[in-house]
Amino acid sequence: MRTSSAADERRLLIGVVIHGPEVVDTGFALRAMEWLEGHGDVVAVLGGTMGRVAVIDAGLADRIDISRRRSPSQSVQDLQHSDLTVLLNHAKSRETGIVFGAIVAGRARPANPLIQADSGGRFVAALSNPSDLSNAIAERLASHFGFEILDACVTDDNMRQEGDAIVRRMSGVLPGERISVNGTVIGTATDTCVEIVARDGRIVGARGIDLKMHGLEKLPHVDLRSAILRSGSVRRTAGMLKPRLGSMRTSRNGRFAIIDHAAEDSFELASDASFVITIGDDTTAIAGDVLSRLGIPVLGIVDGDLDGICSGLVMPEGSVIVRVRAGNDDIIGKAIKSISENRRPASLDEALDMVREAAGDRIISVIRCDGR
């Protein structure tokens, strides 16, 4: 008679990396985690700003760790002590899902087995280090959800060198979609084949994109190899879940943050602030949507050139939007940054007074938001 050893009795430790808001909004992340919990102990983490918002809206913040902003590949590396890791995402198409999995696996190179389950492309693939155990889990997972088992695309060939320039290709792009780099829109896709060219940390050209020079000017130094590239909306499934809005902060602790075209960093930049000054239309829209879950009001400086990557988003209660003449949001934003170095407003209303002084007759309107 065979006796069980401690190793036999130990439950599997399954790491789960959840990427993007769509896989949460559609409910697949929760269903997949519940299924995996029937096969072992699950530790789930998430990276990315809008994914955090979706987790909060879904009421899953106690089951999915959103405490740190980590890329999918970094999260996979963090979980390589588990018996296997499952990457959950909801890509726009099977093609983009396969490419995404290849990129994550190529960057992470985990020591343990890595499986991808894509509810958008409806497939499961073993990305690296397959074992009898991980193959069995992958097959059962695919069968349970009616997905197809695919051979992993292990080659991450979306990057190449051309002389002293780096060229990065984007997949699954639709003509007419806005293209953003680290949250800043740089143009509109004119083709399904899109490539971005960078040299010495600056984007110097593109193929398949009608470039927006004003957007390029806003970008600081860019590491194109690790930059977050996005086509289309930041949350394609916005509206599927009711926003869980936080109660408005009323503290006058004098702590505030300025977010200038870095809306993806809103959680980190504003975690201890009583209010936030945002510069730019898309930045204000995205940061406002994120901060509405924390109850942190924003003072947004915009000029009406919203790029349409953030439809369906909400603003925190108590926020104020200052619309200025076209092309002036960045100029006034720089002035506010300079003024705030020596004069620190203790409240949003004091900051609004500063904006009025800096903008003068360039202000078109001032709108107060009630959080809806």
Side-chain angles (χ1 to χ4, degrees):
M1 178 177 177
R2 182 177 181 270
T3 59
S4 296
S5 66
D8 291 330
E9 296 174 354
R10 181 178 67 82
R11 279 174 60 82
L12 288 177
L13 178 59
I14 303 174
V16 174
V17 176
I18 297 166
H19 175 258
E22 292 82 10
V23 71
V24 178
D25 288 338
T26 58
F28 178 69
L30 178 59
R31 295 194 300 273
M33 286 194 302
E34 289 176 337
W35 185 87
L36 289 168
E37 284 168 351
H39 295 75
D41 296 324
V42 171
V43 176
V45 300
L46 179 141
T49 298
M50 299 313 291
R52 282 168 160 173
V53 170
V55 168
I56 293 172
D57 289 347
L60 296 176
D62 60 339
R63 300 183 67 171
I64 303 171
D65 185 357
I66 59 173
S67 61
R68 294 191 299 165
R69 183 183 175 196
R70 302 282 280 169
S71 70
S73 58
Q74 289 172 328
S75 295
V76 167
Q77 290 174 337
D78 293 342
L79 293 173
Q80 61 184 336
H81 64 280
S82 59
D83 293 298
L84 71 152
T85 301
V86 181
L87 173 65
L88 302 178
N89 68 294
H90 184 94
K92 286 194 296 184
S93 66
R94 178 166 290 189
E95 177 197 2
T96 57
I98 291 172
V99 172
F100 170 72
I103 292 173
V104 173
R107 292 180 180 178
R109 301 187 182 280
N112 65 339
L114 175 62
I115 298 169
Q116 178 187 11
D118 185 320
S119 57
R122 299 187 63 79
F123 71 86
V124 173
L127 297 181
S128 65
N129 304 316
S131 65
D132 291 342
L133 170 65
S134 65
N135 285 338
I137 294 290
E139 290 174 3
R140 293 174 192 164
L141 181 63
S143 175
H144 180 78
F145 288 102
F147 292 176
E148 185 179 351
I149 286 278
L150 298 181
D151 292 330
C153 176
V154 296
T155 302
D156 175 10
D157 61 354
N158 70 323
M159 205 97 58
R160 70 179 185 275
Q161 196 82 27
E162 289 187 356
D164 59 350
I166 297 173
V167 181
R168 183 167 166 185
R169 178 175 55 83
M170 297 180 67
S171 60
V173 179
L174 300 176
E177 287 186 323
R178 301 293 191 269
I179 305 297
S180 64
V181 177
N182 291 338
T184 297
V185 174
I186 65 164
T188 303
T190 59
D191 199 335
T192 56
C193 181
V194 167
E195 293 184 332
I196 299 175
V197 184
R199 182 182 297 109
D200 298 327
R202 304 294 300 182
I203 293 177
V204 296
R207 296 154 191 152
I209 304 177
D210 181 10
L211 287 174
K212 177 183 177 182
M213 299 313 297
H214 184 50
L216 290 177
E217 292 167 357
K218 298 176 183 178
L219 275 176
H221 184 278
V222 174
D223 180 356
L224 192 58
R225 294 184 183 277
S226 60
I228 299 173
L229 307 187
R230 182 181 288 116
S231 62
S233 173
V234 297
R235 190 176 181 184
R236 303 190 308 274
T237 45
M240 293 189 71
L241 297 177
K242 182 179 179 180
R244 293 186 178 228
L245 306 181
S247 299
M248 185 178 71
R249 294 189 185 181
T250 56
S251 169
R252 290 176 60 90
N253 60 18
R255 287 196 292 270
F256 69 97
I258 297 178
I259 300 179
D260 182 4
H261 305 101
E264 304 267 353
D265 300 325
S266 296
F267 271 96
E268 287 76 16
L269 293 174
S271 59
D272 65 345
S274 56
F275 68 94
V276 172
I277 300 172
T278 57
I279 303 168
D281 292 69
D282 289 297
T283 301
T284 296
I286 296 171
D289 190 65
V290 170
L291 298 178
S292 66
R293 274 67 176 182
L294 304 180
I296 302 175
V298 305
L299 171 57
I301 304 172
V302 305
D303 68 357
D305 68 342
L306 191 68
D307 283 301
I309 64 171
C310 44
S311 59
L313 307 189
V314 298
M315 292 298 295
E317 180 184 358
S319 295
V320 177
I321 306 300
V322 180
R323 172 80 179 271
V324 299
R325 299 187 189 283
N328 280 275
D329 54 351
D330 292 322
I331 297 171
I332 295 169
K334 289 178 181 178
I336 294 300
K337 284 183 181 179
S338 178
I339 294 171
S340 65
E341 291 177 1
N342 300 310
R343 177 183 166 191
R344 304 189 66 80
S347 68
L348 189 148
D349 284 333
E350 289 186 19
L352 178 57
D353 290 339
M354 288 171 47
V355 173
R356 291 183 188 277
E357 293 174 17
D361 62 4
R362 289 174 290 182
I363 293 178
I364 295 175
S365 62
V366 177
I367 302 172
R368 292 188 178 270
C369 306
D370 61 5
R372 291 192 296 269

